[in-house]
Amino acid sequence: MSASQTSSSDVPADVPTLLVKIFGKDRPGITAGLFDTLAAYSVDVVDIEQVVTRGRMVLCALVTEPPPGVEGDLRATVHSWAESMKMQAEIISGLGDNRPRGLGRSLVTVLGHPLTAEATAAIAARITKTGGNIDRIFRLAKYPVTAVEFAVSGVETEPLRTALVTDAARLGIDVAVVAAGLYRRAQRLVVMDVDSTLIQDEVIELFAAHAGCEDKVAEVTAAAMRGELDFEQSLHARVALLEGLDASVVDKVRSEVRLTPGARTLIRTLKRLGYQVGVVSGGFTQVTDDLKERLGLDFAHANTLEIVDGRLTGKVTGEIVDRAGKARLLRRFAAEAGVPLSQTVAIGDGANDLDMLNAAGLGVAFNAKPVVREAAHAAVNFPFLDTVLYLLGVTREEVEAADTLDIV
C-alpha cells in the first residue's frame, strides 16, 4: 500500500467544502484527470490523499465549494468523468477542513510474521482505549516480516508504549512506539552490541572452543547476560581460561564469526541515509577492529586480549567495557559525531546493554533476554537485524533502492 498527502492553509470551519472521493482500478492519469475536471469550476484544493492497494485506488480531494449555481453541474461532470474512466465517484458536502489532530502524536510500528487480523484488531483497540486516534496506516514492508506503521494522535507516547508492550508479547508480535516529528528522521548515530546482535556468535566462546573449555565459558556467559553475575568478574574468569592459547587463533576466530542475517543490509542502508554507525562490545578488539574495517563502521570499541610472546596471557588490558562502559561509549561516540544523545539509536540483547539502551534516544532490544525486552523502548524478536530499519520509518522499497547505490 502506498499513500501520499498534502494540505493547504487552514480553511475556516464555516466555509463550505466538498469531499470528492474516486475509487476503482488504478491506472495512469486518474489524479490528473480528476483535477482537470475540477479546474473548470474554480475550486481550491484544501487536502488530498491517495491510497493504492493491490491495484485498487482510493483518491480523496477536499476542495472549496464552487461559485453559486454550478455545484450541480460540477457533481454531474465528476460522475460522468468517473464513469468514463470506469471508476466510481462520491461527493459529500460539508464545512471546513479536517478536524484538528489531538495533542500527543506517536508512530506505532507493528512487526509480524505473519501479521494476523487478530493482532491488528487488538492493537487498534488498545490505541482507542488509551484515548488515541489512528490518523493513518502505512505498510513499511512485506518481507522478511510484515511491518505497518500507525500514525496516532490524542495520547502521549509513554503511556501508549506501556499499554501496547503487554499486548505485543501476548499476541506474538513486536511493537515500537516513538514520538512523531522531524527528529525521527534526524537520528544520525546507531550503536550496536556485537555478540548475538551484530554477529550470531559469542566471541569468547569461539576462543574457548580452541582452548577446549567452551562449555564452561558458555555457562558463565549465559549467567552474565541474564544479569546474574557481575560482568567484569565474569569476564576475567572466562578470559583466564584462555591462557596459553597461540595468538594465531585470532585469525581463526575472525574467520569463524558469522554476521547476523540482515546486518550488512542494515549498515549499508544506514550509511546511505547519512547515519554514522558504531559498535561497542564486551568482547575483544581483535574481532571488532576487523568488523569495523570490513563493514565500514565509524566507531568501534571493545576489550583487548593481552598477548605476550605470541600467546594469550589470560588477561585483558585497558579499561573494561562493561554495562556502564557501553553507555559512556555511546555518549562519547555521539559527542564525536556531533549528534545529540536524543538522536541516537542503541541495539543490544544482554543485561550489560541496558544502560546503553536507556541512554539512547531509541533503545532496541534485539532477540533479547526478558529483562532487556521489558526495559527497552522497543523490541525486535525476529532473526533479521535489518528489521530495525522499519522502526526508523525506512520502507522496504528504500532499503532495496539503497542496495543499488554505492555508499559514499
Side-chain angles (χ1 to χ4, degrees):
M1 180 164 64
S2 61
S4 59
Q5 182 190 36
T6 185
S7 180
S8 69
S9 58
D10 289 342
V11 172
D14 59 349
V15 171
T17 52
L18 297 177
L19 175 60
V20 181
K21 178 180 177 183
I22 305 296
F23 49 99
K25 184 177 180 181
D26 185 31
R27 61 175 64 83
I30 297 295
T31 304
L34 172 63
F35 286 99
D36 277 342
T37 303
L38 293 173
Y41 296 91
S42 301
V43 298
D44 295 329
V45 177
V46 178
D47 198 1
I48 309 170
E49 187 155 355
Q50 177 175 308
V51 177
V52 179
T53 305
R54 210 179 65 178
R56 307 296 292 184
M57 167 194 278
V58 177
L59 169 60
C60 293
L62 187 64
V63 299
T64 56
E65 188 180 56
V70 299
E71 181 179 331
D73 187 52
L74 179 151
R75 288 173 175 268
T77 302
V78 169
H79 279 285
S80 176
W81 169 82
E83 185 176 348
S84 73
M85 300 299 293
K86 298 183 179 179
M87 307 285 283
Q88 292 179 277
E90 182 179 4
I91 303 175
I92 303 171
S93 298
L95 295 174
D97 199 348
N98 306 309
R99 64 184 177 86
R101 295 178 65 193
L103 296 177
R105 299 181 184 181
S106 303
L107 297 170
V108 178
T109 306
V110 180
L111 308 179
H113 186 63
L115 179 59
T116 65
E118 176 189 9
T120 306
I123 293 298
R126 179 62 66 185
I127 290 172
T128 300
K129 288 178 182 178
T130 63
N133 183 71
I134 299 172
D135 300 313
R136 187 164 295 109
I137 305 174
F138 178 73
R139 187 177 72 182
L140 296 167
K142 59 184 178 181
Y143 70 92
V145 299
T146 300
V148 295
E149 180 177 276
F150 295 75
V152 177
S153 62
V155 60
E156 296 299 326
T157 299
E158 286 302 324
L160 180 61
R161 177 186 293 136
T162 300
L164 291 177
V165 164
T166 302
D167 284 349
R170 175 176 59 83
L171 296 166
I173 58 175
D174 291 335
V175 175
V177 184
V178 299
L182 290 176
Y183 87 94
R184 190 197 195 195
R185 281 289 191 175
Q187 290 170 324
R188 307 299 290 182
L189 173 66
V190 176
V191 176
M192 289 175 276
D193 174 41
V194 175
D195 293 9
S196 298
T197 300
L198 178 63
I199 66 174
Q200 300 177 58
D201 313 282
E202 292 288 333
V203 168
I204 195 166
E205 293 178 12
L206 296 179
F207 278 100
H210 293 280
C213 56
E214 184 177 9
D215 291 344
K216 189 170 183 179
V217 165
E219 181 180 342
V220 179
T221 298
M225 292 300 100
R226 291 192 299 266
E228 298 170 3
L229 294 176
D230 173 81
F231 178 80
E232 183 170 351
Q233 291 178 337
S234 71
L235 176 67
H236 288 302
R238 289 174 291 171
V239 171
L241 297 171
L242 306 181
E243 182 180 0
L245 268 180
D246 192 282
S248 62
V249 78
V250 169
D251 289 334
K252 295 177 182 178
V253 167
R254 286 175 175 172
S255 68
E256 293 166 353
V257 165
R258 300 167 299 164
L259 291 174
T260 297
R264 288 187 184 276
T265 299
L266 172 67
I267 294 169
R268 180 170 59 244
T269 306
L270 291 173
K271 298 289 287 183
R272 189 65 213 174
L273 290 171
Y275 283 52
Q276 296 187 61
V277 185
V279 293
V280 292
S281 177
F284 309 111
T285 57
Q286 281 84 356
V287 170
T288 58
D289 288 350
D290 180 61
L291 289 171
K292 180 182 180 183
E293 182 177 354
R294 285 167 51 195
L295 299 175
L297 303 174
D298 300 285
F299 305 98
H301 201 94
N303 301 303
T304 299
L305 291 169
E306 184 180 63
I307 298 176
V308 176
D309 296 330
R311 293 192 176 276
L312 277 63
T313 66
K315 299 177 182 179
V316 292
T317 62
E319 182 181 4
I320 297 298
V321 179
D322 57 7
R323 175 170 169 168
K326 288 189 172 185
R328 284 196 302 271
L329 287 163
L330 172 69
R331 293 186 176 93
R332 183 194 304 174
F333 294 168
E336 292 178 10
V339 173
L341 202 59
S342 62
Q343 292 176 201
T344 62
V345 180
I347 310 168
D349 74 300
N352 66 329
D353 297 314
L354 278 172
D355 289 3
M356 176 177 72
L357 298 182
N358 290 329
L362 176 63
V364 180
F366 179 73
N367 291 316
K369 314 303 184 288
V371 66
V372 183
R373 291 200 303 270
E374 292 168 6
H377 300 131
V380 171
N381 294 301
F382 300 101
F384 312 105
L385 193 56
D386 54 338
T387 56
V388 172
L389 291 166
Y390 309 141
L391 306 186
L392 306 180
V394 181
T395 69
R396 189 70 204 178
E397 288 79 6
E398 290 171 324
V399 173
E400 292 171 350
D403 285 347
T404 67
L405 301 172
D406 294 330
I407 296 174
V408 295

